[in-house]
Amino acid sequence: MDYFETLPQDVENALKEDIGPGDLTASLVPSGLATATIVAKEAAVICGRPWFDQVFAQLDPSIEIEWLCQEGDQITPNTTVCRLRGEAASLLTGERTALNFLQTLSGTATATHAYVAALNSQTTRLLDTRKTLPGLRLAQKYAVHTGGGQNHRIGLYDAILIKENHIMAAHGITQAVQRARRTHPGVSIEVETETMAELEEAYHSGADTIMLDNFSLAQITQAVDWVKAQTARTQRPKLEASGNVTLSECPQLGQTGVDFVSTGAITKHLQATDYSMRFELPQTTQDAEQ
């Protein structure tokens, strides 16, 4: 997967959104070189360096950035993550856009890491969803990967997820799966189920993955045991638990034997990581102003 396919355009759009025809406040800043440091004000998994770098590459390629942390590192409060040097006005103009990317993607990676750690399983994997910030789908999918999670389908074009409304329109799970196989051979098919009866039908219809939507822990365990006991198929479908998954439930979900746990919380219930930029003019520039 090319997580960076839309990166230049993402950054271009963000800079246009913030700067528009020009940064009015930057006109107050005297010409000259300055330095700045980016400091994390809370613990986090750092993520978003490529987007941060691209902001300044598009704004002013002469700006130098020295990273002191690697992408995916777990950092503690008051960690200096990078240093910048360049034209003072350019640093200040790019500050908010660059930090917006860094704090958003770090927030996603940090939340993902917390869920993965709570699952504490070698066999149950955390999946994301399509519940991402508009325009930042690939960026947030990248952040989930950086935080230790796995990506579900990217969009409506790379896999089939047959949900309740699709089932109703197709007049049943079996009919929906059969039509999907005929129309899109070779594409992965997942079916959302809400009851054990629907699970059994999805299994016999030949779905590759079966989503257990809002199943209780007891029902998930029952579903896992039932599928494992079947001999009708040479390769059993994967099982995905989904629906209002909370962090506190993850330790128990990780013990059910389900293959995947998916949640939109890691991308849509976003708490951005708090970073700040500490700006410093060289002594010679300060003297010239006095």
Side-chain angles (χ1 to χ4, degrees):
M1 181 187 308
D2 183 5
Y3 291 114
F4 310 119
E5 179 183 351
T6 62
L7 188 157
Q9 191 62 55
D10 291 345
V11 170
E12 181 180 341
N13 291 341
L15 286 171
K16 286 180 179 178
E17 177 181 66
D18 199 35
I19 300 172
D23 181 354
L24 301 181
T25 314
S27 64
L28 308 178
V29 179
S31 178
L33 295 177
T35 60
T37 55
I38 305 299
V39 178
K41 300 174 73 173
E42 58 185 328
V45 173
I46 187 167
C47 183
R49 280 180 39 170
W51 283 262
F52 185 99
D53 289 347
Q54 181 69 197
V55 167
F56 290 105
Q58 290 191 22
L59 190 62
D60 183 348
S62 69
I63 290 176
E64 301 170 2
I65 304 174
E66 177 192 7
W67 286 98
L68 306 177
C69 300
Q70 297 300 314
E71 194 84 326
D73 280 356
Q74 297 180 49
I75 55 177
T76 56
N78 299 315
T79 297
T80 299
V81 299
C82 71
R83 300 190 183 99
L84 302 93
R85 183 176 185 274
E87 184 64 36
S90 297
L91 291 175
L92 293 173
T93 296
E95 173 186 5
R96 177 42 49 202
T97 300
L99 288 181
N100 281 349
F101 281 113
L102 194 64
Q103 68 185 22
T104 298
L105 300 185
S106 292
T108 301
T110 302
T112 301
H113 176 77
Y115 272 78
V116 171
L119 281 172
N120 191 28
S121 173
Q122 296 298 315
T123 56
T124 301
R125 303 301 183 192
L126 181 74
L127 294 177
D128 53 22
T129 71
R130 288 167 47 242
K131 297 174 182 177
T132 54
L133 299 177
L136 287 181
R137 173 70 54 81
L138 287 178
Q140 284 199 287
K141 292 280 187 179
Y142 165 80
V144 167
H145 173 75
T146 301
Q150 292 188 14
N151 300 138
H152 206 287
R153 58 179 180 165
I154 300 304
L156 297 174
Y157 57 86
D158 60 328
I160 294 172
L161 174 52
I162 301 171
K163 298 172 72 70
E164 179 182 12
N165 289 333
H166 301 108
I167 293 168
M168 181 176 63
H171 305 293
I173 289 174
T174 301
Q175 295 92 322
V177 172
Q178 289 175 346
R179 184 167 184 176
R181 288 284 184 220
R182 291 195 305 269
T183 308
H184 304 287
V187 175
S188 175
I189 298 174
E190 179 172 1
V191 175
E192 178 186 79
T193 64
E194 298 179 347
T195 65
M196 282 297 298
E198 290 181 348
L199 163 71
E200 293 178 20
E201 184 178 358
Y203 174 87
H204 289 297
S205 73
D208 300 304
T209 304
I210 302 173
M211 178 187 292
L212 312 176
D213 186 40
N214 286 305
F215 277 42
S216 67
L217 287 167
Q219 289 172 321
I220 292 171
T221 301
Q222 180 186 0
V224 170
D225 291 342
W226 185 87
V227 169
K228 285 182 177 179
Q230 304 310 302
T231 58
R233 293 176 56 177
T234 56
Q235 184 174 353
R236 74 172 181 88
K238 300 293 186 181
L239 296 180
E240 173 189 337
S242 186
N244 299 312
V245 173
T246 64
L247 189 62
S248 61
E249 292 175 324
C250 283
Q252 294 165 294
L253 286 169
Q255 296 175 6
T256 61
V258 73
D259 298 288
F260 303 112
V261 171
S262 63
T263 177
I266 54 177
T267 51
K268 70 185 180 77
H269 297 164
L270 182 65
Q271 180 174 333
T273 301
D274 192 2
Y275 291 98
S276 67
M277 186 169 92
R278 297 174 181 174
F279 183 79
E280 183 178 348
L281 288 170
Q283 189 65 41
T284 53
T285 303
Q286 295 175 9
D287 292 342
E289 287 296 300
Q290 290 175 351

